Amino acid sequence: YDLYRDVFHDFPAVSASYVQHGVNVYYGEGGKGGGGGGEGLTIRENFKDTIDLYTGSTGADGTASFQVEMPDNLTQWRLTALAVDGDTYWGQSRSSLCTTLPLRIDPILSTTFLTGDTIACTVRGFGTAIDTQDRVEYTAVIEGYEEELEVTAEAAAGETTPLVFQKLPAGSYSMTVTARCGEYSDSVRLPFEVQESALLFRIHQTLD
């Protein structure tokens, strides 16, 4: 019996990447960008999980109203109302509210890259006013570099499309992704970091 010998382990290998291979990929050349979507375009960048907590008193008719500023998330929200009357009565109710757009963009972007990584974002456009045969134009702009970097692409509505940029030095950046289809448009700004290393801390121990 050999204490040290080569052993073959037959196991499947799995890899993961934010860059989708085997599809049409669009690379940026580092030119001047388009300013993040053009004039008059609202950029969504407030993506809070909880809207807020509001308190108030009912009027003579027993009702109360609140003006709520919604975050930019396009999703289904749960609204919960609680009411109390001194120490005697209380009650609660729940309702749902769905926020959407005629055209909405769904970008997937990592919040952290390494200096050796290619910066990539996967986008998908769909909405209540477009069909799968409609064409969606995408523009992605990176800000925070010495000059704006821009990538453009076009794909069918609902089709996953990768947008790939060059490698970037360490620093803080933001990517603004804009989708246009006919008269409709949507724009999302996402921050991300490029780091020298993913090592969080070092542990050094000397054993005697």
Side-chain angles (χ1 to χ4, degrees), residues 6-75:
D6 294 332
V7 178
F8 174 73
H9 294 278
D10 187 12
F11 61 91
V14 178
S15 63
S17 173
Y18 45 79
V19 179
Q20 294 195 15
H21 300 279
V23 295
N24 293 328
V25 180
Y26 304 89
Y27 292 89
E29 300 297 334
K32 290 292 183 179
E39 298 180 358
L41 183 64
T42 300
I43 299 177
R44 296 189 291 118
E45 54 185 332
N46 176 20
F47 300 103
K48 295 195 303 183
D49 294 328
T50 303
I51 299 176
D52 216 330
L53 175 65
Y54 297 85
T55 60
S57 301
T58 60
D61 58 353
T63 63
S65 61
F66 301 93
Q67 184 174 354
V68 179
E69 182 177 353
M70 302 294 293
D72 294 326
N73 311 53
L74 300 181
T75 184

Side-chain angles (χ1 to χ4, degrees), residues 77-174:
W77 299 91
R78 187 185 72 183
L79 306 179
T80 303
L82 302 173
V84 294
D85 179 18
D87 298 326
T88 305
Y89 300 103
W90 70 275
Q92 67 174 349
S93 65
R94 292 181 179 178
S95 59
S96 297
L97 174 65
C98 184
T99 54
T100 186
L101 287 172
L103 169 64
R104 56 170 293 187
I105 188 172
D106 182 23
I108 301 176
L109 177 69
S110 175
T111 57
T112 305
F113 294 89
L114 299 181
T115 51
D117 292 339
T118 300
I119 309 301
C121 177
T122 300
V123 295
R124 203 167 47 121
F126 50 93
T128 59
I130 61 175
D131 299 321
T132 54
Q133 68 269 20
D134 293 331
R135 304 293 294 180
V136 181
E137 298 177 353
Y138 300 100
T139 302
V141 176
I142 289 182
E143 297 175 324
Y145 189 52
E146 56 188 18
E147 60 180 348
E148 288 186 352
L149 304 177
E150 180 180 299
V151 168
T152 60
E154 182 179 332
E159 180 180 337
T160 300
T161 306
L163 302 172
V164 182
F165 288 83
Q166 64 189 48
K167 300 175 183 178
L168 292 174
S172 299
Y173 304 89
S174 67

Side-chain angles (χ1 to χ4, degrees), residues 112-115 170 194-200 202:
T112 305
F113 294 89
L114 299 181
T115 51
V194 178
Q195 302 177 353
E196 294 285 353
S197 172
L199 184 64
L200 299 180
R202 296 178 181 272

